[in-house]
Amino acid sequence: MSFLIDSSIVVTSQVLFFGFGWLFFMRQLFKDYEVRQYVVQVIFSVTFAFSCTMFELIIFEILGVLNSSSRYFHWKMNLCVILLILVFMVPFYIGYFIVSNIRLLHRQRVLFSCGLWLTFMYFFWKLGDPFPILSPKHGILSIEQLISRVGVIGVTLMALLSGFGAVNCPYTYMSYFLRNVTDTDILALERRLLQTMDMIISKKKRIATARRNMFQRGDVNNKPSGFWGMIKSVTTSAPGSENLTLIQQEVDALEELSRQLFLETVDLYATKERIEYSKTFKGRYFNVLGYFFSVYCVWKIFMATINIVFDRVGKTDPVTRGIEITVNYLGIQFDVKFWSQHISFILVGIIIVTSIRGLLITLTKFFYAISSSKSSNVIVLLLAQIMGMYFVSSVLLIRMSMPPEYRTIITEVLGELQFNFYHRWFDVIFLVSALSSILFLYLAHKQAPEKHMTP
């Protein structure tokens, strides 16, 4: 009876997660497109529902909700379903919709889709060769073999996003990195843009006048035919007429310059708005937050370097370790186990909420940037694949933030994985991503003032 009650709680939450994923799909991703393939919408919503269920089960582990046998069963079932979706279903439908957009392969699309899926499986399986994630104790299609490879891809993605976010967040929030933009700078750039537009209009008028004169003289009807006639018409011009080819090249160059000037003008207006926003109470709050994140970024890069150099992986969760250091330093009586449980619950909850929110915002921006009416189905399936792998790898990494007594079922379900490898791999990719982001933002910030100073 208790198992049925526990299952009803989990299934009800999955239905709610599925509904939220369905609404997000309709209201955010596909609000500008007509939904033609409901299978894409179902796959995306199911992936989102089971991904959120894993985070829900983590919270249930900390709070002790449901029986341990029920939690173990739903952990096992949830991982089997999410792996089935990520390894078999989503890659097949991605190949299916790619082939469907090619007319020559339309009749044999199922066959070619199977071929693309087999190609994916080959490279997916070969992914495990360079990494110490294989275990001869388990079968070919066991959970351990599949989740180990999904974890490598997901942890790599998480580390890339975390490294860039740790650097880009303080760069975006802090007013220190804002360029000094005045109304004089904007007016000067707008004046250059207007002058360029006037030159384009003037040259287009010359082209139109020259073509009208050629038509009135009958040059259009008496054009020499053949290859040599075409060469002669390009290289020579009638007395008193314009060289239309040369003028058109000048117009093309000026139009490209006008586009660049327009984008620079928009960038200056956006920078000016950010300067004005930074003077408000909310802007000052984000500025202080930016300094906090800059310190966190430096600390994270330093710790990642230490972990890589000394091959170190923490055995105690950060909350418990931090409380123990504080209690020993202050010399006070404190129930470390009790408070570490509650603080770990709050910390894990914050990590889960921010992870889901941040990933959904990133997916929405990415979809709007590259989607079209023909590629939208494929892109949504790719986003579902990324989302599922991201959340599965989050479970592997969040496990270390939990006290040891709450890791038991998660460790049993995930199997004999090399958890230390994933944490070291995350540190390596995070460090590379953060340092690359620092270099990229430094060059972009240094080049921006020079670009606006060019006459």
Side-chain angles (χ1 to χ4, degrees):
M1 188 67 182
S2 60
F3 177 77
L4 294 177
I5 297 175
D6 295 344
S7 299
S8 63
I9 294 174
V10 175
V11 171
T12 302
S13 62
Q14 286 177 337
V15 172
L16 294 176
F17 293 143
F18 180 88
F20 182 81
W22 188 280
L23 290 175
F24 176 77
F25 184 94
M26 294 294 295
R27 300 289 178 87
Q28 292 293 327
L29 294 183
F30 260 62
K31 64 180 181 180
D32 297 326
Y33 299 97
E34 180 183 357
V35 181
R36 297 179 180 177
Q37 300 292 339
Y38 281 97
V39 65
V40 176
Q41 189 172 359
V42 171
I43 291 175
F44 181 88
S45 302
V46 169
T47 305
F48 180 80
F50 279 90
S51 299
C52 292
T53 303
M54 287 191 296
F55 286 152
E56 179 188 45
L57 290 173
I58 289 177
I59 295 176
F60 285 173
E61 288 291 330
I62 298 176
L63 295 180
V65 179
L66 312 182
N67 291 330
S68 59
S69 59
S70 300
R71 293 198 303 269
Y72 180 83
F73 171 80
H74 288 290
W75 264 115
K76 203 79 171 179
M77 185 189 69
N78 203 81
L79 281 176
C80 289
V81 173
I82 198 70
L83 291 175
L84 178 68
I85 294 172
L86 297 178
V87 179
F88 298 96
M89 187 176 296
V90 175
F92 173 80
Y93 274 104
I94 289 175
Y96 179 82
F97 286 112
I98 290 176
V99 173
S100 298
N101 292 329
I102 303 175
R103 292 184 179 180
L104 296 176
L105 307 178
H106 194 72
R107 293 184 178 180
Q108 302 293 332
R109 53 188 174 183
V110 176
L111 180 63
F112 283 101
S113 300
C114 293
L116 289 176
W117 177 78
L118 291 175
T119 304
F120 163 79
M121 285 299 297
Y122 172 78
F123 287 104
F124 177 76
W125 211 256
K126 296 295 288 183
L127 180 68
D129 292 346
F131 301 104
I133 57 177
L134 297 177
S135 177
K137 298 180 181 180
H138 306 288
I140 296 178
L141 296 179
S142 63
I143 290 181
E144 290 81 4
Q145 295 283 6
L146 295 178
I147 202 171
S148 60
R149 290 163 172 80
V150 171
V152 170
I153 301 174
V155 168
T156 303
L157 176 65
M158 284 187 64
L160 289 173
L161 294 177
S162 300
F164 176 75
V167 176
N168 185 61
C169 185
Y171 179 79
T172 304
Y173 286 169
M174 293 173 63
S175 59
Y176 174 80
F177 295 105
L178 292 177
R179 299 191 307 272
N180 186 19
V181 177
T182 61
D183 293 335
T184 306
D185 299 329
I186 297 177
L187 289 175
L189 198 58
E190 288 180 339
R191 193 178 300 114
R192 288 181 58 196
L193 178 60
L194 291 175
Q195 291 174 354
T196 305
M197 298 300 294
D198 290 338
M199 293 173 64
I200 293 173
I201 294 172
S202 176
K203 291 183 180 296
K204 285 189 175 182
K205 283 182 179 180
R206 289 171 58 187
I207 293 175
T209 303
R211 286 177 177 172
R212 184 185 62 185
N213 294 335
M214 290 172 62
F215 181 79
Q216 290 176 352
R217 291 196 306 266
D219 292 346
V220 176
N221 296 327
N222 297 328
K223 266 189 176 181
S225 59
F227 176 76
W228 294 109
M230 182 178 63
I231 296 296
K232 185 177 180 181
S233 64
V234 172
T235 57
T236 62
S237 58
S241 65
E242 300 279 1
N243 190 337
L244 299 183
T245 305
L246 181 60
I247 298 176
Q248 185 61 47
Q249 290 176 355
E250 294 176 356
V251 169
D252 294 339
L254 288 172
E255 287 179 342
E256 180 63 28
L257 177 61
S258 67
R259 281 191 288 268
Q260 294 296 328
L261 291 174
F262 175 77
L263 292 176
E264 291 179 17
T265 305
V266 172
D267 185 45
L268 287 183
Y269 271 109
T271 305
K272 184 182 177 183
E273 290 179 358
R274 287 183 58 195
I275 293 175
E276 294 175 353
Y277 176 77
S278 64
K279 297 177 181 178
T280 63
F281 175 78
K282 192 174 181 181
R284 291 171 181 170
Y285 163 74
F286 278 108
N287 185 40
V288 174
L289 198 63
Y291 280 101
F292 170 77
F293 278 115
S294 63
V295 174
Y296 170 78
C297 176
V298 173
W299 176 80
K300 188 69 177 176
I301 291 175
F302 174 75
M303 292 305 299
T305 305
I306 294 297
N307 293 338
I308 294 170
V309 172
F310 295 100
D311 194 17
R312 191 186 69 170
V313 177
K315 299 183 182 298
T316 307
D317 65 287
V319 174
T320 303
R321 182 61 177 165
I323 294 177
E324 288 177 351
I325 293 174
T326 304
V327 169
N328 292 332
Y329 179 78
L330 298 177
I332 59 176
Q333 297 294 327
F334 198 78
D335 191 347
V336 176
K337 183 176 181 181
F338 173 80
W339 285 105
S340 64
Q341 174 182 349
H342 290 77
I343 298 176
S344 296
F345 168 71
I346 296 173
L347 177 64
V348 171
I350 293 173
I351 293 174
I352 290 172
V353 173
T354 54
S355 297
I356 295 175
R357 178 181 177 274
L359 185 64
L360 291 180
I361 292 174
T362 304
L363 293 182
T364 304
K365 292 180 179 178
F366 182 75
F367 179 79
Y368 284 148
I370 65 173
S371 64
S372 64
S373 57
K374 290 185 177 180
S375 63
S376 56
N377 290 321
V378 176
I379 293 173
V380 168
L381 290 174
L382 284 173
L383 296 183
Q385 183 83 355
I386 293 172
M387 177 176 63
M389 290 184 172
Y390 182 93
F391 286 152
V392 169
S393 58
S394 297
V395 174
L396 295 176
L397 298 179
I398 289 177
R399 172 186 167 275
M400 186 59 69
S401 300
M402 301 171 61
E405 58 267 22
Y406 302 123
R407 306 177 191 173
T408 306
I409 292 181
I410 299 177
T411 305
E412 291 178 1
V413 172
L414 295 177
E416 298 178 4
L417 296 181
Q418 300 294 328
F419 294 104
N420 293 344
F421 160 75
Y422 292 103
H423 287 276
R424 286 195 297 268
W425 181 249
F426 179 89
D427 289 334
V428 171
I429 302 300
F430 174 86
L431 187 62
V432 173
S433 176
L435 295 179
S436 302
S437 301
I438 291 174
L439 179 63
F440 172 77
L441 292 176
Y442 171 76
L443 294 176
H445 184 77
K446 184 178 179 181
Q447 186 179 7
E450 297 177 355
K451 181 175 65 174
H452 295 305
M453 290 173 61
T454 55

